[in-house]
């Protein structure tokens, strides 16, 4: 019988269709390691996933067979793992799937659930969950009144990483609950992502707004991002106008980012957008409208035509690199 | 077909949203309260289905303070058939566990073929209630749907995930949540406003639902600290006179950001 | 141009605490129109107006309307789309009688709605406004047959209505009109003549247009006593309600105007068109008078609505336009920090709040005059309506021009540039002082028809009622002392001038007419100051969050605008001698 340590933190890692661990895995294990011993659960039959998890810091790895249906098989596996590990906390990603699993499991097990955590720590009473709410305007700490809790972790929020561990994995036996579940009819994988950093958790982000004017002209945002080694984001207006897909959207109803540098091009800075990026360390804005609200929070604002300023900026940066 | 739409009154995202620094609870006086936009989109999904199926019953379900009535009535004015609101002092500061327990009990009270919720609220941004409800009610859930098709026995749609798009389906009864890709709600018009006054509006307490909020044996999630981040101010602002791009490059390099 | 935001909070406060709306919703027939329902209605309507109507304002101005050689007139596509939604959502029917498919809400509510749609797009708002006038006339004196045939679709807005009075030689002197109405065997009349300045005379928003036309039957007496009113539809209507033959009415041209470009202003030609008599022969003017109070107040409201719209632009501009350093500031300042700009903004804000209350007060009096169970109350309310009508129309429209001009001034040079958007409000506002009876006519109406009612008792009783606020002001403490003092002085001036008018009018009507315009302005200023004071008192006594702000507005108005009344007195009582002392001399 494996030893799960004195403070096991059961961490559900997501596995992509291509057999690789999701980008969120490193941060999840890093967060778990801050409050205990990460025990990873992988519901996958892909090869080598246990080893990947161990290399990212999982002290122990449990592997369960995937089920055909949506969510319930993972919840069943999580329930079995919980039973076995008896952790202080159960960590899932705040991804679309993670929330479903975390939600169903917490309801099934009668455990409290804390959502969209940006950090974890311990005090003398137990695990403390850190939240950043209302677009970063308020910081909140939460905890369970007693016993273990379920936490969904905001992707890209935790920078800490766990030390690699020797791969120790075991197969988990899961008894299906038989709960009614939805069916996955089909799945279309997204065409291979570029080498550009992912938006969530990126250190630098360059975002474009309505001011870009078209999907073609949005390329300017990407050019600047590449020069800076940044991820690409967009305002809701740009997404609604069809310049870029929804996954680029930064804001109240999109991705929340807290990078070192956030460059806003042609973005007015409506409250809903600010809610997704105003905790960035440094904010730069370029907009031809002097009264755009984005200038109220920009550390360096340029009132001007982005189609003149950005190419000049790119040229100046490239000149310095050379 | 009976569709229950979950709606929630939240602080207006256009206004100044604040938490009470003592209690950690939303400071309702700080800004106007409105029906969360995603709830309106959820209602629109139900109304669109009802447009083609006139015997559809649409029930608005909400848990919150009594003052939310006016916002919920707008949903009636938009075309919902009736409203159920759970109001109880003991629910102030309720965590997700208690909230899901209460809503599940209310759903058992109203009955349903389909529950439609928003994928996440603008104040909590949790996005877990739909799944919690599904578990408690023993039904499948389809969350974060970017498109929805409803038939009299099933519901299906497209889910946008980080690495691709899945087409999913479930037989009814089921719980679904939708994203903001779904259309804006129709506006209430005068006929709707006048008709809304005659529509049933039921207010339930925890006692009516047989739910006990304070339980020694149930662990809850509680807030243990709240603090406010100081607001950001503006820094340098220049007007481009031909060299703004270069000045900006200088700024980024100096601050080791480029 | 800032996005229009409906002033719902102020509307609610004015209705609830200043103009007495709760009394209206207690009247028989208006029970369904309780304040909470009205507020809900206004919120939804505000959303509709902002999302659907406001975005069409600019295009109406820049694109305008097109006249085609075949006599058809097309409006911008955006207007057509917006109008279709307007009809579908049924908003136009809210203040219309329930008997004919309307929702039967009070006139006061209709005015609150009208303010918002006019702020959003004055050109667009004119169409439904004219239809409303035609509906009012048909409802008042139309036969069952005429009502059945025309009203239902006019109430929904599917059919539009117009008012045809003016002719090239008959504007202010409507009695000089010559359009003929010749009776036919079947009881209809053949209408022949030309009308000008007909708003929405022809367009492609609706399938049918119902024209109300003033014309003279053969052997009718001269002047206004010989005018009859006829219903002349663009298409004859079949028994089954469907549209039939095209009638003999067409547009000859559209005018190229200074403003309200989105409103098709037509020259209409009637060539033996089939007309149905409305009411009785030679009773046309009395029918016009039925609608006149509401029509004129609506025009005054146009001034207020545009002033509000322009003010929102000016306020937004002043907050972010950085120029120089305000006194006492070490940093570059937005212009709102400068005293003179503050004066311009506060003048707008206070005046608009006052005028809004004035218009709503008129609405409440109209509702009392039609729905109060006590005949004496109805009677007095009718008197007050009649008295306030010329003031609402004239002062409201004059202020609309002055305040939109001020809003433009706040913008500096950019205000003069059309693209900025504020100039449109100024141009749109200008017509309100002219149509529906020029402001000179309004002033003549005030001194010639309204003052003499009960030998002046009607007007003097009203002034006494204004003066009665003094005791409330006395009990409200130091904060209200300056307001109280100024109101006392100026209401005294108004009373004194009124007495001069009453005395002088008997023997020297020309003298009274000479001072009528300054006199009307005195009335406007006094009633507005009174309303702001009343509003501030109410806010203080209920502890409303706006109390501090309203006190400032009332005090500013009382101390810095109301004193103009004293200055106007001289002109009001100067008589006509100097006006006629010079013959028209050529330029020196």
């Amino acid at each position: 019988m494996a030893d799960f340590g004195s403070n096991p933190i059961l961490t559900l890692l997501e596995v992509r269709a291509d057999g690789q661990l999701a980008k969120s895995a490193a941060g999840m294990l890093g967060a778990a390691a801050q409050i205990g011993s990460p025990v990873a659960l992988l519901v996958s039959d892909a090869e080598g996933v246990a080893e990947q998890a161990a290399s990212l810091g999982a002290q122990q790895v449990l592997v369960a067979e995937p089920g055909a249906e949506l969510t319930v098989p993972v919840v069943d596996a999580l329930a079995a793992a919980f039973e076995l590990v008896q952790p202080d906390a159960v960590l899932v990603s705040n991804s679309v799937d993670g929330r479903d699993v975390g939600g169903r499991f917490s309801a099934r097990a009668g455990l409290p659930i804390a959502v969209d955590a940006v950090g974890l720590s311990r005090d003398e009473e137990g695990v403390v969950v850190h939240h950043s709410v209302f677009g970063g305007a308020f910081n909140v700490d939460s905890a369970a009144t007693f016993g273990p809790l379920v936490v969904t972790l905001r992707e890209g929020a935790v920078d800490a990483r766990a030390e690699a561990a020797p791969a120790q994995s075991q197969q988990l036996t899961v008894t299906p609950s038989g709960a009614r579940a939805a069916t996955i009819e089909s799945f279309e994988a997204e065409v291979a992502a570029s080498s550009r950093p992912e938006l969530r958790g990126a250190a630098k982000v360059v975002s474009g707004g309505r001011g870009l004017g078209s999907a073609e002209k949005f390329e300017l945002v990407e050019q600047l991002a590449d020069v800076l080694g940044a991820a690409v984001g967009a305002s809701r207006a740009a997404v609604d106008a069809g310049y870029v897909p929804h996954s680029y959207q930064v804001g109240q109803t999109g991705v929340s980012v807290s990078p070192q540098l956030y460059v806003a091009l042609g973005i007015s800075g409506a409250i809903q957008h600010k809610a997704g990026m105003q905790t960035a360390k440094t904010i730069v804005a370029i907009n031809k409208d002097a009264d755009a609200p984005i200038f109220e929070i920009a550390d360096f604002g340029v009132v001007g035509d982005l189609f003149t300023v950005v190419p000049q900026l790119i040229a100046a940066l490239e000149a310095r690199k050379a | 077909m009976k569709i229950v739409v979950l709606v929630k009154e939240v602080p207006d995202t256009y206004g100044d949203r604040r938490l009470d620094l003592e209690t950690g609870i939303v400071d309702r006086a700080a800004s106007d309260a409105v029906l969360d936009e995603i709830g309106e989109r959820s209602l629109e999904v139900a109304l669109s289905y009802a447009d083609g199926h006139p015997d559809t019953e649409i029930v608005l379900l909400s848990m919150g303070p009594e003052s939310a009535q006016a916002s919920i009535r707008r949903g009636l004015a938009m075309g919902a058939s009736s409203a159920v609101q759970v109001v109880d002092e003991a629910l102030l500061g309720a965590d997700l566990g208690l909230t899901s327990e209460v809503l599940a009990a209310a759903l058992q009270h109203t009955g349903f073929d389909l529950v439609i919720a928003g994928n996440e609220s603008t104040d909590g941004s949790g996005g877990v209630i739909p799944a919690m409800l599904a578990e408690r009610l023993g039904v499948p859930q389809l969350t974060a749907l970017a498109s929805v098709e409803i038939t009299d026995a099933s519901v299906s749609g497209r889910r946008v995930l980080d690495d691709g798009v899945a087409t999913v389906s479930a037989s009814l009864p089921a719980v679904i949540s939708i994203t903001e890709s779904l259309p804006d709600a129709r506006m209430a018009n005068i006929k709707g406003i006048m008709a809304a006054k005659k529509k049933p509006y039921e207010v339930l307490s925890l006692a009516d639902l047989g739910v006990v909020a304070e339980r020694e044996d149930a662990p809850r999630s509680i807030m243990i600290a709240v603090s406010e981040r100081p607001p950001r101010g503006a820094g340098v602002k220049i007007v481009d006179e031909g060299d703004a791009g270069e000045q900006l490059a200088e700024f980024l390099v100096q601050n080791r950001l480029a | 141009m800032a996005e229009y935001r409906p002033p719902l909070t102020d509307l609610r406060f004015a209705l609830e605490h200043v103009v007495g709306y709760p009394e209206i919703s207690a009247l028989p027939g208006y029970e369904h129109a309780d304040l909470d329902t009205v507020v809900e209605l206004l919120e939804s309507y505000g959303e509709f107006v902002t999302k659907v109507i406001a975005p069409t304002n600019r295009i109406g101005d820049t694109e305008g309307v097109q006249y085609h050689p075949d006599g058809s007139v097309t409006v911008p596509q955006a207007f057509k789309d917006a109008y279709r939604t307007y009809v579908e959502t049924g908003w136009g029917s809210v203040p219309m009688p329930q008997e004919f498919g309307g929702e039967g809400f009070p006139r006061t509510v209709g005015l609150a709605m009208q303010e918002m749609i006019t702020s959003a797009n004055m050109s667009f708002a004119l169409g439904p406004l004219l239809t409303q006038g035609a509906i009012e006339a048909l409802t008042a004196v139309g036969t069952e047959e005429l009502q059945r045939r025309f009203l239902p679709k006019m109430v929904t807005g599917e059919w539009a209505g117009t008012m045809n009075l003016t002719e090239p030689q008959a504007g202010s002197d409507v009695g000089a009109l010559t359009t003929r109405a010749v009776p036919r065997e079947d009881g209809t009349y053949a209408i022949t003549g030309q009308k000008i300045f007909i708003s929405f005379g022809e367009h492609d928003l609706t399938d049918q247009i119902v024209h109300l036309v003033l014309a003279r039957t053969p052997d009718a007496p001269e002047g206004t006593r010989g005018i009859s009113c006829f219903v002349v539809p663009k298409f004859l209507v079949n028994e089954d309600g469907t549209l039939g033959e095209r009638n003999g009415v067409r547009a000859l041209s559209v005018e190229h105007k200074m403003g309200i470009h989105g409103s098709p202003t037509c020259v209409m030609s009637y060539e033996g068109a089939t007309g149905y008599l409305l009411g009785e022969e030679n009773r046309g003017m009395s029918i016009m008078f039925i609608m006149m109070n509401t029509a004129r107040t609506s025009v005054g409201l146009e001034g207020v609505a545009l002033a509000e719209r322009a003010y929102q632009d000016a306020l937004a501009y002043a907050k972010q336009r950085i120029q120089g350093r305000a006194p006492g500031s070490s940093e570059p300042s937005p212009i709102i920090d400068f005293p003179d700009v503050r004066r311009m903004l506060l003048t707008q804000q206070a005046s608009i709040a006052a005028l809004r209350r004035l218009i709503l007060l008129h609405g409440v009096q109209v509702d009392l005059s039609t729905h109060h169970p006590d005949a004496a109350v109805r009677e007095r309310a009718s008197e007050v309506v009649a008295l306030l009508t010329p003031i609402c129309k004239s002062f409201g429209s004059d202020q609309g021009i002055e305040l939109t001009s001020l809003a433009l001034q706040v913008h500096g040079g950019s205000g003069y540039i059309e693209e900025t958007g504020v100039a449109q409000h100024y141009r749109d506002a200008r017509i309100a002082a002219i149509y529906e009876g020029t402001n000179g006519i309004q002033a003549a109406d005030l001194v010639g028809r309204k003052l003499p009612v009960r030998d002046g008792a009607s007007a003097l009783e009203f002034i006494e009622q204004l003066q009665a606020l003094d005791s409330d002001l006395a009990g409200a403490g130091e904060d209200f002392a300056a307001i109280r003092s100024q109101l006392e002085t100026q209401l005294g001036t108004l009373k004194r001038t009124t007495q001069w008018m009453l005395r002088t009018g008997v023997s020297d009507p020309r003298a009274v007419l000479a001072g009528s315009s300054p006199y009307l302005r005195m009335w406007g200023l006094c009633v507005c100051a009174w309303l702001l004071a009343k509003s501030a008192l109410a806010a203080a006594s209920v502890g409303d969050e706006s109390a501090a702000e309203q006190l400032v507005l009332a005090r500013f108005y009382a101390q810095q605008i109301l004193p103009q009344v004293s200055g106007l007195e001289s002109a009001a009582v100067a008589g006509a001698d100097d006006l006629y002392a010079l013959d028209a001399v050529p330029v020196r």
Side-chain angles (χ1 to χ4, degrees):
Chain A
M1 177 64 100
D3 174 15
F4 297 111
S6 51
N7 295 107
I9 307 296
L10 182 55
T11 310
L12 175 66
L13 301 180
E14 294 179 359
V15 183
R16 291 188 337 219
D18 62 1
Q20 297 298 304
L21 287 185
K23 291 237 171 95
S24 56
M28 301 270 297
L29 292 167
Q34 289 185 309
I35 55 168
S37 170
V39 176
L41 170 62
L42 302 166
V43 183
S44 167
D45 52 10
E47 293 230 353
V49 283
E51 286 74 13
Q52 286 179 56
S55 71
L56 291 174
Q59 295 286 322
Q60 294 284 339
V61 182
L62 299 171
V63 183
E65 284 287 312
E69 298 162 306
L70 186 60
T71 313
V72 168
V74 181
V75 178
D76 293 346
L78 192 55
F82 183 84
E83 204 41 44
L84 183 63
V85 175
Q86 297 291 308
D88 291 351
V90 176
L91 214 52
V92 299
S93 170
N94 199 43
S95 66
V96 161
D97 281 327
R99 291 186 223 178
D100 284 351
V101 174
R104 288 198 78 133
F105 176 69
S106 83
R108 191 188 289 190
L111 298 179
I113 180 169
V115 295
D116 198 28
V118 294
L120 296 170
S121 64
R122 274 188 183 274
D123 67 5
E124 60 282 356
E125 295 193 54
V127 175
V128 177
V129 185
H130 305 290
H131 310 262
S132 168
V133 303
F134 285 173
F138 290 86
N139 294 324
V140 175
D141 292 345
S142 72
T145 48
F146 61 89
L149 77 165
V150 179
V151 180
T152 76
L153 189 69
R154 184 187 292 184
E155 295 178 60
V158 172
D159 293 330
R161 293 294 177 261
E163 293 227 345
Q168 299 199 63
S169 72
Q170 64 180 96
Q171 200 65 24
L172 183 68
T173 320
V174 179
T175 315
S177 61
R180 285 186 57 218
T183 312
I184 306 169
E185 307 275 2
S186 67
F187 177 74
E188 282 163 43
E190 214 169 59
V191 176
S194 66
S195 56
R196 210 174 272 142
E198 232 187 57
L199 185 53
R200 284 181 221 269
K204 299 185 214 173
V205 176
V206 179
S207 271
R210 202 58 192 283
L212 271 304
S214 72
E216 292 74 41
K217 299 215 203 103
F218 203 87
E219 264 184 39
L220 189 57
V221 178
E222 292 168 2
Q223 282 169 27
L224 180 58
D226 290 340
V227 168
L228 290 168
V232 177
S235 69
R236 181 169 170 179
V239 169
D240 284 350
Y243 304 163
V244 283
H246 187 268
S247 55
Y248 284 54
Q249 186 171 316
V250 171
Q252 173 68 54
T253 53
V255 175
S256 277
V257 296
S258 194
Q260 292 296 308
L261 171 67
Y262 189 90
V263 181
L265 304 177
I267 291 180
S268 70
I271 291 189
Q272 288 79 6
H273 184 76
K274 285 203 274 192
M277 45 63 72
Q278 66 186 343
T279 55
K281 189 115 189 310
T282 302
I283 297 176
V284 168
I286 305 177
N287 197 304
K288 68 176 181 190
D289 180 7
D291 17 295
I294 193 81
F295 288 120
E296 289 162 23
I297 57 168
D299 297 292
F300 195 103
V302 175
V303 181
D305 182 354
L306 66 93
F307 293 107
T308 338
V309 178
V310 176
Q312 195 187 72
L313 170 61
I314 291 175
L317 288 172
E318 283 181 336
R320 280 164 210 268
K321 275 192 193 172
Chain B
M1 161 91 77
K2 182 184 268 192
I3 304 179
V4 180
V5 176
L6 297 188
V7 294
K8 184 180 180 188
E9 200 187 55
V10 295
D12 191 349
T13 53
Y14 284 92
D16 186 22
R17 301 183 296 167
R18 298 190 56 79
L19 288 182
D20 182 316
L21 293 172
E22 289 291 316
T23 63
I25 295 176
V26 170
D27 179 0
R28 290 180 186 278
S31 64
D32 288 334
V34 297
L35 263 194
D36 206 357
E37 200 195 80
I38 196 73
E40 293 190 346
R41 290 181 197 270
S42 305
L43 176 55
E44 181 57 35
V45 171
L47 290 170
S48 300
Y49 179 78
D51 285 342
H53 303 83
D55 58 354
T56 307
E57 195 190 329
I58 303 175
V59 181
L60 298 169
L61 174 59
S62 185
M63 184 186 107
E66 215 169 335
S67 56
Q69 255 205 47
S71 298
I72 298 168
R73 283 204 174 277
R74 273 200 53 180
L76 290 175
M78 289 198 277
S81 323
S82 64
V84 172
Q85 191 190 6
V86 181
V87 179
D88 200 301
E89 268 178 22
L91 287 174
L92 192 62
D95 73 348
L96 291 159
L98 179 56
T99 303
S100 62
E101 193 186 336
V102 171
L103 289 173
L107 283 165
Q108 273 162 342
H109 171 84
T110 62
F112 65 94
D113 294 303
L114 178 63
V115 179
I116 308 180
N119 65 328
E120 64 178 55
S121 66
T122 53
D123 62 351
S125 301
V128 293
I129 289 288
M132 295 174 84
L133 292 176
E135 182 69 26
R136 288 180 184 276
L137 296 164
V139 300
Q141 95 286 341
L142 298 177
T143 60
L145 296 179
S147 69
V148 182
E149 284 83 47
I150 304 171
T151 72
D152 56 11
S154 70
V155 59
S156 61
R158 281 173 40 249
R159 287 179 102 203
V160 178
L161 305 166
D162 279 337
D163 55 348
V165 178
T167 306
V168 291
S169 69
S171 58
L172 300 184
V175 172
I176 66 169
S177 78
I178 54 124
T179 68
E180 61 177 1
S181 318
L182 274 298
D184 237 335
R186 57 197 66 182
M187 285 180 282
N189 63 32
I190 184 62
K191 296 243 181 281
I193 291 173
M194 299 313 288
K197 297 172 162 310
K198 307 190 196 96
K199 292 180 177 174
Y201 194 111
E202 195 182 1
V203 178
L204 298 171
S205 67
L206 288 185
D208 294 327
L209 291 172
V211 173
V212 178
E214 304 278 322
R215 285 173 48 192
E216 301 242 324
D217 60 335
R220 301 282 185 214
S221 171
I222 55 168
M223 275 178 283
I224 58 175
V226 182
S227 64
E228 188 174 359
R229 256 184 106 107
R232 269 193 107 100
V236 171
K237 184 176 174 187
I238 64 169
V239 176
D240 182 26
E241 273 155 27
D243 69 340
E246 276 156 24
Q247 286 193 51
L248 186 42
E250 182 64 30
F251 171 81
L252 290 173
V253 168
Q254 286 223 346
N255 286 280
R256 287 197 274 267
L257 293 166
Chain C
M1 185 143 59
E3 204 184 87
Y4 172 60
R5 300 188 57 201
L8 294 168
T9 310
D10 197 49
L11 278 167
R12 185 189 179 126
F13 187 88
L15 288 169
E16 188 171 4
H17 297 293
V18 187
V19 301
Y21 182 75
E23 194 189 344
I24 301 303
S25 62
L27 296 176
Y30 283 151
E31 299 88 348
H32 62 297
D34 60 281
L35 184 64
D36 283 335
T37 302
V38 169
V39 169
E40 201 187 329
L41 186 168
L42 292 177
E43 273 168 12
S44 290
Y45 188 62
E47 195 188 342
F48 167 77
V49 146
T50 310
K51 285 194 175 147
V52 179
I53 309 295
T56 65
N57 195 23
R58 193 97 186 97
I59 204 171
D61 190 53
T62 53
E63 216 177 276
V65 303
Q66 295 276 349
Y67 178 80
H68 304 280
D70 65 355
S72 65
V73 173
T74 49
V75 303
Q77 184 60 41
F79 272 40
K80 290 204 271 272
D81 295 336
Y83 192 79
R84 194 172 38 246
T85 310
Y86 183 75
V87 171
E88 271 166 25
T89 50
W91 285 116
S93 72
V94 170
M96 297 291 116
Q98 281 168 317
E99 247 186 285
F100 301 106
E103 297 293 334
F105 274 75
R107 166 76 179 154
T108 312
V109 176
L111 285 170
M113 293 173 74
Q114 195 208 324
E115 180 192 326
M116 294 194 278
I117 193 172
T118 305
S119 287
N121 184 340
M122 178 170 159
S123 295
F124 184 94
L126 271 171
L129 188 62
L130 290 159
T131 307
Q132 193 178 300
I135 290 172
E136 226 181 304
L138 273 163
T139 313
V141 299
T143 59
E144 255 188 66
E145 169 57 29
L146 278 180
Q147 289 176 345
R148 189 186 56 80
R149 200 187 306 188
F150 292 107
L151 277 180
K153 290 203 169 149
M154 288 171 78
V155 167
T156 62
E158 272 172 85
W159 290 357
T162 71
M163 311 301 305
N164 292 239
L165 284 76
T166 308
E167 297 176 13
Q169 77 295 346
S172 292
D173 181 12
V174 70
L177 68 82
T178 60
T179 299
R180 293 186 319 282
V182 178
R184 294 177 182 140
E185 292 255 324
D186 62 356
T188 65
Y189 292 71
I191 313 293
T192 304
Q194 203 181 82
K195 296 289 188 185
I196 62 167
F197 295 162
I198 307 306
S199 303
F200 279 81
E202 182 57 57
H203 55 74
D204 56 347
L205 284 169
T206 59
D207 292 334
Q208 165 77 298
I209 302 176
V210 180
H211 302 287
L212 261 57
V213 182
L214 293 191
R216 210 179 275 294
T217 51
D219 307 326
E222 265 194 25
T224 56
R225 270 193 269 259
I227 293 178
S228 309
C229 184
F230 298 88
V231 178
V232 186
K234 178 177 172 184
F235 290 91
L236 299 180
V237 180
N238 298 324
E239 267 312 302
D240 62 358
T242 55
L243 294 179
E245 253 178 60
R246 182 80 165 81
N247 205 353
V249 49
R250 63 196 177 95
L252 295 182
S253 63
V254 293
E255 305 292 354
H256 179 214
K257 308 183 297 296
M258 172 180 169
I260 49 169
H261 294 156
S263 163
T265 306
C266 307
V267 174
M268 302 299 293
S269 175
Y270 290 85
E271 294 142 16
T274 300
Y276 308 95
L277 179 63
L278 187 59
E280 287 163 25
E281 276 189 16
N282 300 326
R283 303 288 297 152
M285 282 317 291
S286 70
I287 298 171
M288 291 299 107
F289 276 112
I290 291 171
M291 306 154 22
M292 204 164 281
N293 290 321
T294 46
R296 289 180 169 182
T297 314
S298 287
V299 170
L301 181 52
E302 285 173 350
V304 185
L306 287 176
E308 169 70 40
R309 184 69 198 273
Y311 169 65
Q312 290 187 13
D313 289 349
L315 183 62
Y317 183 81
K319 282 185 186 170
Q320 54 76 36
R321 170 69 174 169
I322 310 231
Q323 287 286 280
R325 287 175 168 65
S329 175
S330 53
E331 302 253 305
S333 312
I335 61 174
I336 197 172
D337 286 352
F338 290 83
D340 191 65
V341 174
R342 292 223 149 206
R343 164 174 302 289
M344 289 193 275
L345 291 172
L346 198 54
T347 301
Q348 291 169 63
Q349 190 184 356
S351 303
I352 292 164
L355 291 162
R356 173 174 296 130
R357 284 148 179 71
L358 172 63
I359 302 290
L360 290 175
L361 178 68
H362 190 274
V364 163
Q365 294 297 316
V366 168
D367 290 324
L368 285 173
S369 75
T370 54
H371 280 66
H372 199 282
D374 185 334
V377 172
R378 287 199 308 272
E379 180 70 39
R380 177 59 186 153
S382 289
E383 281 185 351
V384 172
V385 167
L387 176 65
L388 290 181
T389 294
I391 297 160
C392 288
K393 195 288 189 185
S394 185
F395 194 56
S397 55
D398 277 344
Q399 286 267 273
I401 296 162
E402 292 154 27
L403 297 170
T404 51
S405 181
L406 214 49
L408 194 157
Q409 187 74 13
V410 170
H411 284 74
S414 73
Y416 200 65
I417 308 301
E418 286 291 359
E419 246 182 5
T420 304
V422 65
Q424 180 189 345
H425 308 317
Y426 179 53
R427 286 186 285 101
D428 283 351
R430 191 59 187 83
I431 187 64
I434 298 170
Y435 64 13
E436 201 48 58
T438 64
N439 286 359
I441 295 287
Q442 304 301 323
D445 175 63
L446 175 64
V447 300
R449 261 200 285 267
K450 307 300 170 64
L451 278 196
V453 171
R454 287 193 287 126
D455 293 320
S458 172
L460 289 169
E461 273 166 34
F462 191 82
I463 296 176
E464 262 165 45
Q465 218 189 316
L466 298 180
Q467 288 172 316
L469 194 67
D470 187 74
S471 53
D472 290 320
L473 287 166
E478 215 20 62
D479 282 341
F480 286 82
I483 298 171
R484 180 182 176 213
S485 162
Q486 270 303 332
L487 256 180
E488 189 188 344
T489 306
Q490 302 307 347
L491 286 177
T493 310
L494 181 66
K495 181 170 176 178
R496 194 166 56 239
T497 313
T498 303
Q499 284 161 334
W500 182 91
M501 289 280 170
L502 287 165
R503 271 197 317 274
T504 314
V506 180
S507 52
D508 192 352
R510 207 172 68 161
V512 154
L513 283 173
S516 60
S517 285
Y519 176 63
L520 187 150
R521 197 171 173 91
M522 291 167 74
W523 266 98
L525 291 164
C526 284
V527 181
C528 277
W530 181 84
L531 284 163
L532 284 180
K534 186 164 195 264
S535 197
L537 280 170
S541 83
V542 302
D544 192 84
E545 61 184 8
S546 69
E549 185 183 305
Q550 293 211 48
L551 174 59
V552 171
L553 297 184
R555 189 173 59 224
F556 172 78
Y557 202 96
Q559 293 193 290
Q560 304 196 36
I561 298 183
L562 181 62
Q564 291 168 19
V565 173
S566 289
L568 290 163
E569 186 184 10
S570 314
V573 304
D577 292 348
D578 268 345
L579 300 181
Y580 288 89
L582 301 176
D583 291 328
V585 287
V587 175
R588 286 185 188 288

